[in-house]
Amino acid sequence: MTASGSGRFGGVLEQIGSEVAALTDRGRPADYIPLLAGADPGRFGMAVAEPDGTVYGVNDWQEPFSTQSITKVFALALVLASEGEEIWRRVGREPSGNPFNSLVQLEYENGVPRNPFINAGALVVTDRLQTLTGNAAGRVRDLLREESGNPAVDFVAEVADSEAAHGDRNAALAHFMASYGNIANPVPELLAAYFRQCSIAASCQDLASAAGFLARRGVRADGSMLLTPSQAKRVNAVMLTCGTYDAAGEFAYRVGLPGKSGVGGGIVAVVPGVCTLCVWSPGLDRRGNSVAGVWALDRFTTLTGLSVF
Ligand code: DON
């Protein structure tokens, strides 16, 4: 492990970490999950992990934050690893062009969500993982622990409870899909698993490391295979087109990398074959993506020239 200021990515992270102080508009923390509303938009962390496990970081890169929708990537990876392409019968892989918690497309499209990263699609993926394992949230947590090497990665019960107490929209999505036969588990059980999964706290260091299999063509930290190279390519492709919701076009334009955001203010991004990144800053734009996070990834790809384009 390498700290900031040295090695291949130390210099660029130092630069971004000092430039970010000049950002005046940092957005606002998510307020529909009360426990996230109090986060300080002034916080900022960034980490870069190389495929060999070397991690560079700057500012609050070791501070745990609420991973939220970033966990959707790991849940999808586990389902693909378990049963291959089956899941695509129940969820699409097209950008939605709608907010992450939107209901409107679901009725037109007969209860089949556009992609696995909007909430409806993620509920279907967690539902399948729950059927396959009996413990969807636990499996996502364990994957994050194993790939980050940090056994402290865990659920935060207060965050899950806070979301559950304000979870009417996700409950509506789940019940609506159940009415089309696209949810197999009892909705209350599914929602509990989904909120637990979203409540996992991890740092930029943890998440940049844990996403390493996406830069290593599906190979896990221990050298075994989680996904085939083709599956890893496909997860990256869906992250690029759908990972930042109705801002995916703008994110591709500015950052040029597959990325997945969460309303806790984190974003994971992948430079296939080269590195994985995670940024965190709790202030969000109106589409639910971290303002300083997108800015920092934009700076990173501009300064290094690393992008998939
Ligand atoms: O289901 C929700 O609304 C949250 N647990 C996760 C949403 C989220 O992170 C969207 N990301 N930008």
Side-chain angles (χ1 to χ4, degrees), residues 245-295:
Y245 314 108
D246 44 339
E250 180 70 9
F251 187 83
Y253 179 84
R254 286 181 63 191
V255 176
L257 294 175
K260 182 73 209 79
S261 61
V263 290
I267 308 174
V268 163
V270 185
V271 190
V274 179
C275 63
T276 36
L277 302 103
C278 182
V279 284
W280 168 62
S281 186
L284 308 179
D285 61 25
R286 66 190 168 82
R287 283 138 152 185
N289 300 311
S290 168
V291 173
V294 175
W295 173 88

Short mmCIF file of all heavy atoms in Angstrom, two decimals, residues 245-295:
data_model
loop_
_atom_site.label_atom_id
_atom_site.label_comp_id
_atom_site.label_asym_id
_atom_site.label_seq_id
_atom_site.Cartn_x
_atom_site.Cartn_y
_atom_site.Cartn_z
N TYR A 245 -27.48 7.03 -13.53
CA TYR A 245 -28.90 7.32 -13.78
C TYR A 245 -29.10 8.26 -14.95
O TYR A 245 -28.47 8.09 -15.98
CB TYR A 245 -29.56 7.85 -12.49
CG TYR A 245 -29.18 7.00 -11.32
CD1 TYR A 245 -28.31 7.45 -10.35
CD2 TYR A 245 -29.65 5.70 -11.23
CE1 TYR A 245 -27.92 6.64 -9.29
CE2 TYR A 245 -29.27 4.89 -10.17
CZ TYR A 245 -28.42 5.37 -9.22
OH TYR A 245 -28.04 4.56 -8.19
N ASP A 246 -29.96 9.27 -14.73
CA ASP A 246 -30.27 10.19 -15.83
C ASP A 246 -29.14 11.18 -16.08
O ASP A 246 -29.29 12.09 -16.90
CB ASP A 246 -31.61 10.91 -15.57
CG ASP A 246 -31.78 11.42 -14.16
OD1 ASP A 246 -31.10 10.92 -13.24
OD2 ASP A 246 -32.61 12.32 -13.97
N ALA A 247 -28.01 10.99 -15.41
CA ALA A 247 -26.83 11.81 -15.71
C ALA A 247 -25.74 10.97 -16.38
O ALA A 247 -24.60 11.42 -16.52
CB ALA A 247 -26.28 12.43 -14.42
N ALA A 248 -26.08 9.74 -16.82
CA ALA A 248 -25.04 8.85 -17.36
C ALA A 248 -24.38 9.43 -18.61
O ALA A 248 -23.16 9.27 -18.81
CB ALA A 248 -25.63 7.46 -17.65
N GLY A 249 -25.13 10.13 -19.42
CA GLY A 249 -24.54 10.75 -20.61
C GLY A 249 -23.55 11.83 -20.22
O GLY A 249 -22.42 11.90 -20.74
N GLU A 250 -23.96 12.67 -19.28
CA GLU A 250 -23.09 13.75 -18.82
C GLU A 250 -21.83 13.19 -18.13
O GLU A 250 -20.72 13.70 -18.30
CB GLU A 250 -23.88 14.65 -17.86
CG GLU A 250 -23.14 15.84 -17.27
CD GLU A 250 -22.84 16.92 -18.30
OE1 GLU A 250 -23.34 16.85 -19.44
OE2 GLU A 250 -22.06 17.84 -17.97
N PHE A 251 -22.01 12.12 -17.37
CA PHE A 251 -20.88 11.50 -16.66
C PHE A 251 -19.89 10.92 -17.68
O PHE A 251 -18.68 11.09 -17.56
CB PHE A 251 -21.40 10.41 -15.72
CG PHE A 251 -20.34 9.81 -14.83
CD1 PHE A 251 -19.97 10.44 -13.65
CD2 PHE A 251 -19.71 8.62 -15.17
CE1 PHE A 251 -18.99 9.88 -12.82
CE2 PHE A 251 -18.73 8.05 -14.35
CZ PHE A 251 -18.38 8.69 -13.17
N ALA A 252 -20.42 10.23 -18.71
CA ALA A 252 -19.53 9.69 -19.75
C ALA A 252 -18.81 10.82 -20.46
O ALA A 252 -17.61 10.72 -20.77
CB ALA A 252 -20.35 8.85 -20.74
N TYR A 253 -19.52 11.91 -20.70
CA TYR A 253 -18.93 13.06 -21.39
C TYR A 253 -17.81 13.69 -20.57
O TYR A 253 -16.73 13.98 -21.08
CB TYR A 253 -20.04 14.08 -21.65
CG TYR A 253 -19.60 15.34 -22.34
CD1 TYR A 253 -19.48 15.39 -23.72
CD2 TYR A 253 -19.32 16.50 -21.59
CE1 TYR A 253 -19.08 16.56 -24.35
CE2 TYR A 253 -18.91 17.66 -22.22
CZ TYR A 253 -18.79 17.69 -23.59
OH TYR A 253 -18.39 18.84 -24.20
N ARG A 254 -18.06 13.86 -19.29
CA ARG A 254 -17.07 14.55 -18.45
C ARG A 254 -15.97 13.64 -17.96
O ARG A 254 -14.80 14.03 -17.89
CB ARG A 254 -17.76 15.18 -17.22
CG ARG A 254 -18.55 16.42 -17.58
CD ARG A 254 -19.20 17.03 -16.35
NE ARG A 254 -18.24 17.50 -15.35
CZ ARG A 254 -18.58 17.88 -14.13
NH1 ARG A 254 -19.85 17.83 -13.76
NH2 ARG A 254 -17.67 18.29 -13.28
N VAL A 255 -16.32 12.42 -17.57
CA VAL A 255 -15.35 11.52 -16.91
C VAL A 255 -14.81 10.47 -17.89
O VAL A 255 -13.62 10.17 -17.88
CB VAL A 255 -16.00 10.85 -15.68
CG1 VAL A 255 -15.05 9.85 -15.03
CG2 VAL A 255 -16.43 11.91 -14.66
N GLY A 256 -15.68 9.90 -18.69
CA GLY A 256 -15.23 8.92 -19.68
C GLY A 256 -14.86 7.58 -19.10
O GLY A 256 -13.99 6.89 -19.64
N LEU A 257 -15.51 7.19 -18.00
CA LEU A 257 -15.23 5.89 -17.38
C LEU A 257 -16.55 5.25 -16.93
O LEU A 257 -17.50 5.96 -16.59
CB LEU A 257 -14.37 6.06 -16.12
CG LEU A 257 -12.95 6.57 -16.28
CD1 LEU A 257 -12.32 6.78 -14.91
CD2 LEU A 257 -12.12 5.60 -17.12
N PRO A 258 -16.60 3.90 -16.85
CA PRO A 258 -17.71 3.26 -16.15
C PRO A 258 -17.71 3.74 -14.70
O PRO A 258 -16.65 3.80 -14.06
CB PRO A 258 -17.36 1.76 -16.19
CG PRO A 258 -16.31 1.63 -17.25
CD PRO A 258 -15.58 2.94 -17.31
N GLY A 259 -18.89 4.09 -14.18
CA GLY A 259 -18.95 4.58 -12.80
C GLY A 259 -20.27 4.21 -12.16
O GLY A 259 -21.27 3.99 -12.83
N LYS A 260 -20.26 4.09 -10.84
CA LYS A 260 -21.51 3.82 -10.10
C LYS A 260 -21.54 4.71 -8.88
O LYS A 260 -20.63 4.67 -8.04
CB LYS A 260 -21.57 2.35 -9.66
CG LYS A 260 -22.85 2.00 -8.94
CD LYS A 260 -24.03 1.92 -9.90
CE LYS A 260 -25.35 2.28 -9.24
NZ LYS A 260 -25.59 3.72 -9.08
N SER A 261 -22.60 5.49 -8.77
CA SER A 261 -22.72 6.43 -7.65
C SER A 261 -23.66 5.90 -6.58
O SER A 261 -24.42 4.95 -6.81
CB SER A 261 -23.27 7.76 -8.18
OG SER A 261 -24.56 7.55 -8.73
N GLY A 262 -23.62 6.53 -5.42
CA GLY A 262 -24.56 6.24 -4.35
C GLY A 262 -24.95 7.55 -3.68
O GLY A 262 -24.16 8.51 -3.69
N VAL A 263 -26.15 7.58 -3.09
CA VAL A 263 -26.61 8.84 -2.47
C VAL A 263 -25.86 9.16 -1.17
O VAL A 263 -26.07 10.23 -0.60
CB VAL A 263 -28.13 8.90 -2.22
CG1 VAL A 263 -28.90 9.00 -3.52
CG2 VAL A 263 -28.61 7.75 -1.37
N GLY A 264 -24.99 8.28 -0.72
CA GLY A 264 -24.09 8.64 0.38
C GLY A 264 -22.98 9.58 -0.09
O GLY A 264 -22.21 10.10 0.72
N GLY A 265 -22.88 9.78 -1.41
CA GLY A 265 -21.86 10.69 -1.96
C GLY A 265 -20.64 9.99 -2.52
O GLY A 265 -19.68 10.64 -2.93
N GLY A 266 -20.66 8.67 -2.57
CA GLY A 266 -19.54 7.92 -3.14
C GLY A 266 -19.76 7.65 -4.62
O GLY A 266 -20.90 7.59 -5.10
N ILE A 267 -18.67 7.50 -5.34
CA ILE A 267 -18.71 7.02 -6.74
C ILE A 267 -17.51 6.09 -6.94
O ILE A 267 -16.38 6.45 -6.60
CB ILE A 267 -18.60 8.16 -7.78
CG1 ILE A 267 -19.61 9.28 -7.51
CG2 ILE A 267 -18.78 7.62 -9.20
CD1 ILE A 267 -19.46 10.50 -8.43
N VAL A 268 -17.79 4.90 -7.49
CA VAL A 268 -16.71 3.98 -7.89
C VAL A 268 -16.57 4.07 -9.40
O VAL A 268 -17.58 4.14 -10.12
CB VAL A 268 -17.06 2.54 -7.45
CG1 VAL A 268 -16.21 1.52 -8.19
CG2 VAL A 268 -16.87 2.40 -5.94
N ALA A 269 -15.34 4.11 -9.90
CA ALA A 269 -15.11 4.17 -11.35
C ALA A 269 -13.99 3.21 -11.70
O ALA A 269 -13.16 2.86 -10.86
CB ALA A 269 -14.77 5.59 -11.78
N VAL A 270 -13.98 2.78 -12.96
CA VAL A 270 -13.06 1.73 -13.40
C VAL A 270 -12.31 2.17 -14.65
O VAL A 270 -12.93 2.65 -15.60
CB VAL A 270 -13.83 0.42 -13.73
CG1 VAL A 270 -12.86 -0.71 -14.06
CG2 VAL A 270 -14.75 0.02 -12.58
N VAL A 271 -10.98 2.01 -14.64
CA VAL A 271 -10.19 2.10 -15.87
C VAL A 271 -9.76 0.66 -16.16
O VAL A 271 -8.79 0.18 -15.55
CB VAL A 271 -8.96 3.02 -15.73
CG1 VAL A 271 -8.33 3.26 -17.12
CG2 VAL A 271 -9.30 4.34 -15.06
N PRO A 272 -10.48 -0.06 -17.02
CA PRO A 272 -10.19 -1.49 -17.19
C PRO A 272 -8.72 -1.74 -17.50
O PRO A 272 -8.12 -1.07 -18.33
CB PRO A 272 -11.11 -1.89 -18.36
CG PRO A 272 -12.25 -0.92 -18.27
CD PRO A 272 -11.62 0.38 -17.85
N GLY A 273 -8.15 -2.69 -16.76
CA GLY A 273 -6.76 -3.06 -16.96
C GLY A 273 -5.77 -2.17 -16.24
O GLY A 273 -4.59 -2.50 -16.13
N VAL A 274 -6.23 -1.02 -15.74
CA VAL A 274 -5.30 -0.03 -15.18
C VAL A 274 -5.52 0.22 -13.69
O VAL A 274 -4.58 0.13 -12.89
CB VAL A 274 -5.37 1.30 -15.95
CG1 VAL A 274 -4.42 2.34 -15.36
CG2 VAL A 274 -5.09 1.10 -17.43
N CYS A 275 -6.75 0.55 -13.31
CA CYS A 275 -7.00 0.88 -11.90
C CYS A 275 -8.49 1.01 -11.64
O CYS A 275 -9.29 1.09 -12.57
CB CYS A 275 -6.30 2.19 -11.50
SG CYS A 275 -6.89 3.64 -12.37
N THR A 276 -8.85 1.01 -10.35
CA THR A 276 -10.21 1.34 -9.93
C THR A 276 -10.12 2.54 -8.99
O THR A 276 -9.14 2.70 -8.25
CB THR A 276 -10.89 0.17 -9.20
OG1 THR A 276 -9.91 -0.51 -8.41
CG2 THR A 276 -11.49 -0.81 -10.17
N LEU A 277 -11.14 3.38 -9.03
CA LEU A 277 -11.14 4.60 -8.22
C LEU A 277 -12.38 4.64 -7.35
O LEU A 277 -13.42 4.08 -7.71
CB LEU A 277 -11.18 5.84 -9.11
CG LEU A 277 -10.06 6.01 -10.11
CD1 LEU A 277 -10.56 5.65 -11.50
CD2 LEU A 277 -9.57 7.44 -10.11
N CYS A 278 -12.27 5.34 -6.22
CA CYS A 278 -13.47 5.69 -5.46
C CYS A 278 -13.30 7.09 -4.92
O CYS A 278 -12.24 7.43 -4.39
CB CYS A 278 -13.72 4.70 -4.32
SG CYS A 278 -15.25 5.10 -3.41
N VAL A 279 -14.32 7.91 -5.11
CA VAL A 279 -14.34 9.25 -4.53
C VAL A 279 -15.53 9.34 -3.60
O VAL A 279 -16.54 8.65 -3.78
CB VAL A 279 -14.47 10.35 -5.59
CG1 VAL A 279 -13.17 10.58 -6.32
CG2 VAL A 279 -15.57 10.06 -6.58
N TRP A 280 -15.42 10.22 -2.64
CA TRP A 280 -16.54 10.45 -1.72
C TRP A 280 -16.60 11.91 -1.32
O TRP A 280 -15.58 12.50 -0.91
CB TRP A 280 -16.39 9.61 -0.45
CG TRP A 280 -17.35 10.00 0.64
CD1 TRP A 280 -18.71 9.95 0.58
CD2 TRP A 280 -17.03 10.53 1.93
NE1 TRP A 280 -19.25 10.41 1.76
CE2 TRP A 280 -18.23 10.76 2.60
CE3 TRP A 280 -15.82 10.81 2.58
CZ2 TRP A 280 -18.29 11.27 3.90
CZ3 TRP A 280 -15.87 11.32 3.87
CH2 TRP A 280 -17.09 11.55 4.53
N SER A 281 -17.76 12.48 -1.47
CA SER A 281 -18.08 13.79 -0.91
C SER A 281 -19.60 13.86 -0.85
O SER A 281 -20.27 13.61 -1.86
CB SER A 281 -17.50 14.91 -1.78
OG SER A 281 -17.69 16.15 -1.15
N PRO A 282 -20.18 14.12 0.33
CA PRO A 282 -21.62 13.87 0.52
C PRO A 282 -22.57 14.83 -0.20
O PRO A 282 -23.76 14.53 -0.30
CB PRO A 282 -21.81 14.02 2.04
CG PRO A 282 -20.45 13.99 2.63
CD PRO A 282 -19.50 14.45 1.58
N GLY A 283 -22.09 15.96 -0.71
CA GLY A 283 -23.01 16.89 -1.37
C GLY A 283 -23.38 16.38 -2.76
O GLY A 283 -22.51 16.05 -3.56
N LEU A 284 -24.68 16.31 -3.04
CA LEU A 284 -25.17 15.72 -4.30
C LEU A 284 -25.75 16.79 -5.22
O LEU A 284 -26.23 17.83 -4.77
CB LEU A 284 -26.28 14.71 -4.01
CG LEU A 284 -26.00 13.62 -2.97
CD1 LEU A 284 -27.24 12.73 -2.82
CD2 LEU A 284 -24.78 12.81 -3.35
N ASP A 285 -25.75 16.48 -6.52
CA ASP A 285 -26.50 17.30 -7.46
C ASP A 285 -27.95 16.81 -7.49
O ASP A 285 -28.30 15.86 -6.79
CB ASP A 285 -25.84 17.28 -8.86
CG ASP A 285 -25.78 15.88 -9.47
OD1 ASP A 285 -26.61 15.02 -9.09
OD2 ASP A 285 -24.90 15.64 -10.31
N ARG A 286 -28.78 17.42 -8.33
CA ARG A 286 -30.20 17.09 -8.27
C ARG A 286 -30.48 15.68 -8.79
O ARG A 286 -31.57 15.15 -8.62
CB ARG A 286 -31.03 18.14 -9.02
CG ARG A 286 -30.80 18.17 -10.48
CD ARG A 286 -31.45 19.37 -11.16
NE ARG A 286 -30.96 19.50 -12.51
CZ ARG A 286 -31.44 18.79 -13.53
NH1 ARG A 286 -32.42 17.95 -13.36
NH2 ARG A 286 -30.94 18.94 -14.75
N ARG A 287 -29.51 15.05 -9.44
CA ARG A 287 -29.72 13.68 -9.92
C ARG A 287 -29.16 12.65 -8.95
O ARG A 287 -29.17 11.45 -9.25
CB ARG A 287 -29.08 13.50 -11.28
CG ARG A 287 -29.94 14.12 -12.37
CD ARG A 287 -29.10 14.85 -13.33
NE ARG A 287 -29.71 14.87 -14.64
CZ ARG A 287 -29.12 15.37 -15.72
NH1 ARG A 287 -27.89 15.84 -15.62
NH2 ARG A 287 -29.73 15.39 -16.86
N GLY A 288 -28.62 13.08 -7.83
CA GLY A 288 -28.18 12.14 -6.80
C GLY A 288 -26.73 11.72 -6.92
O GLY A 288 -26.31 10.73 -6.32
N ASN A 289 -25.94 12.47 -7.70
CA ASN A 289 -24.52 12.15 -7.84
C ASN A 289 -23.68 13.20 -7.11
O ASN A 289 -24.01 14.39 -7.12
CB ASN A 289 -24.14 12.10 -9.32
CG ASN A 289 -24.93 11.05 -10.08
OD1 ASN A 289 -25.02 9.92 -9.65
ND2 ASN A 289 -25.54 11.45 -11.19
N SER A 290 -22.57 12.76 -6.50
CA SER A 290 -21.73 13.66 -5.72
C SER A 290 -21.12 14.75 -6.61
O SER A 290 -20.45 14.45 -7.61
CB SER A 290 -20.60 12.85 -5.07
OG SER A 290 -19.62 13.72 -4.53
N VAL A 291 -21.33 16.01 -6.24
CA VAL A 291 -20.81 17.12 -7.05
C VAL A 291 -19.28 17.10 -7.07
O VAL A 291 -18.66 17.10 -8.15
CB VAL A 291 -21.33 18.48 -6.49
CG1 VAL A 291 -20.66 19.64 -7.22
CG2 VAL A 291 -22.84 18.56 -6.62
N ALA A 292 -18.67 17.07 -5.90
CA ALA A 292 -17.20 17.08 -5.85
C ALA A 292 -16.64 15.76 -6.38
O ALA A 292 -15.53 15.73 -6.94
CB ALA A 292 -16.72 17.32 -4.42
N GLY A 293 -17.40 14.68 -6.22
CA GLY A 293 -16.95 13.38 -6.72
C GLY A 293 -16.84 13.36 -8.24
O GLY A 293 -15.82 12.92 -8.80
N VAL A 294 -17.89 13.84 -8.91
CA VAL A 294 -17.84 13.88 -10.39
C VAL A 294 -16.73 14.83 -10.83
O VAL A 294 -15.96 14.53 -11.75
CB VAL A 294 -19.21 14.31 -10.98
CG1 VAL A 294 -19.11 14.46 -12.49
CG2 VAL A 294 -20.30 13.31 -10.61
N TRP A 295 -16.64 15.96 -10.14
CA TRP A 295 -15.59 16.93 -10.48
C TRP A 295 -14.19 16.28 -10.36
O TRP A 295 -13.34 16.44 -11.24
CB TRP A 295 -15.71 18.16 -9.56
CG TRP A 295 -14.57 19.11 -9.72
CD1 TRP A 295 -14.48 20.14 -10.61
CD2 TRP A 295 -13.34 19.08 -9.00
NE1 TRP A 295 -13.26 20.75 -10.50
CE2 TRP A 295 -12.55 20.12 -9.52
CE3 TRP A 295 -12.83 18.28 -7.98
CZ2 TRP A 295 -11.27 20.39 -9.04
CZ3 TRP A 295 -11.56 18.54 -7.51
CH2 TRP A 295 -10.79 19.58 -8.03
#
